[in-house]
């Protein structure tokens, strides 16, 4: 079982970047307040700020709000403080969250003195992209959706394409490096954390790109009809 493996340290043995010998892994239950608090806040914002539309529309809005919170908090933290994540004295909740999640891909554990910067440069780059491109464009998409602005269908595909790109830049280099940073022998860490937990930021953006394409196509069709009537 995963807990037994963690007790012996076998999950992260032999991974590159390596995990410190004195590393302490906190169980996911330690992060329930953070997880459920973030989900609850996203739901409340959705219910208060976006009452119109179908259930699907509300789900998309919820996804956008959740993404905004993650981009501006968890991922921005990595951008500025990844070198402090493995410091055992750092008890910031976001550092602890990265330590927990980072066992599924040790590149997420941040910069340390014994590894070159090149080993996490990809992760730094994509988290910078997430915090400072995805964060603002997702926020603008949320505002446009609240206002019913057609600008939403221009901004949304930019935001979610960047999200999907970020996820592919997480997965593809890991596979290119033979998953050296991922505990592939542990089903929970590989299938649950590394693949399933991240996959919404690939598949939902694809759906949202087609959603935006549909609305832009309808707008052009309506504009052509208006133009024909005038002529």
């Amino acid at each position: 079982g995963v807990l037994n493996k963690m007790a012996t340290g076998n999950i992260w043995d032999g991974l590159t970047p390596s995990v410190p010998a004195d590393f302490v892994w906190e169980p996911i239950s330690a992060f329930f307040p953070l997880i459920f608090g973030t989900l609850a806040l996203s739901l409340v914002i959705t219910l208060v700020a976006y009452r119109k539309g179908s259930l699907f529309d509300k789900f998309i809005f919820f996804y956008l709000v959740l993404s905004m919170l993650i981009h501006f908090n968890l991922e921005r933290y990595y951008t500025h403080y990844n070198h402090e994540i493995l410091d055992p004295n750092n008890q910031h909740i976001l550092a602890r969250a990265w330590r927990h999640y980072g066992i599924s891909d040790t590149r997420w554990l941040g910069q340390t003195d014994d590894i070159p910067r090149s080993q996490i440069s990809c992760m730094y780059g994509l988290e910078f992209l997430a915090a400072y491109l995805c964060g603002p464009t997702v926020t603008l998409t949320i505002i446009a959706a609240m206002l019913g602005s057609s600008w939403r269908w221009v901004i949304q595909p930019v935001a979610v394409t960047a999200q999907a790109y970020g996820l592919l830049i997480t997965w593809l280099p890991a596979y290119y490096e033979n998953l050296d940073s991922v505990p592939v022998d542990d089903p929970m860490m590989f299938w649950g954390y590394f693949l399933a937990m991240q996959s919404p930021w690939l598949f939902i953006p694809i759906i949202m790109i087609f959603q935006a394409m549909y609305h832009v196509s309808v707008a052009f069709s309506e504009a052509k009809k208006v133009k024909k009537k005038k002529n």
Side-chain angles (χ1 to χ4, degrees), residues 94-152:
L94 298 181
R96 291 168 52 209
W98 278 116
R99 286 199 290 269
H100 173 86
Y101 187 76
I103 290 304
S104 67
D105 183 343
T106 56
R107 296 175 300 166
W108 291 122
L109 293 175
Q111 175 68 29
T112 60
D113 294 335
D114 61 338
I115 65 169
R117 285 177 178 263
S118 59
Q119 287 207 304
I120 67 150
S121 59
C122 176
M123 315 311 279
Y124 173 81
L126 73 90
E127 292 303 347
F128 187 92
L129 173 81
Y132 294 107
L133 174 59
C134 296
T137 52
V138 165
T139 303
L140 288 173
T141 304
I142 290 170
I143 294 170
M146 290 169 58
L147 297 176
S149 171
S150 58
W151 275 101
R152 172 187 176 174

Side-chain angles (χ1 to χ4, degrees), residues 6-28:
M6 286 178 181
T8 62
N10 290 335
I11 276 186
W12 52 75
D13 282 352
L15 297 180
T16 304
S18 61
V19 179
D22 60 350
F23 180 81
V24 176
W25 189 84
E26 293 184 78
I28 194 171

Side-chain angles (χ1 to χ4, degrees), residues 4-83:
N4 291 333
K5 288 182 181 179
M6 286 178 181
T8 62
N10 290 335
I11 276 186
W12 52 75
D13 282 352
L15 297 180
T16 304
S18 61
V19 179
D22 60 350
F23 180 81
V24 176
W25 189 84
E26 293 184 78
I28 194 171
S29 57
F31 303 97
F32 282 169
L34 176 64
I35 294 169
F36 292 114
T38 303
L39 292 172
L41 178 59
S42 301
L43 181 60
V44 169
I45 292 173
T46 300
L47 295 176
V48 171
Y50 196 72
R51 299 180 181 181
K52 57 188 175 182
S54 65
L55 186 61
F56 173 77
D57 293 329
K58 289 183 173 63
F59 169 76
I60 292 297
F61 192 89
F62 171 83
Y63 167 83
L64 288 167
V65 174
L66 178 62
S67 293
M68 178 186 68
L69 295 175
I70 292 172
H71 293 323
F72 281 137
N73 291 283
L74 185 65
E75 293 177 308
R76 189 176 63 87
Y77 183 90
Y78 188 95
T79 299
H80 295 284
Y81 304 107
N82 68 80
H83 59 287

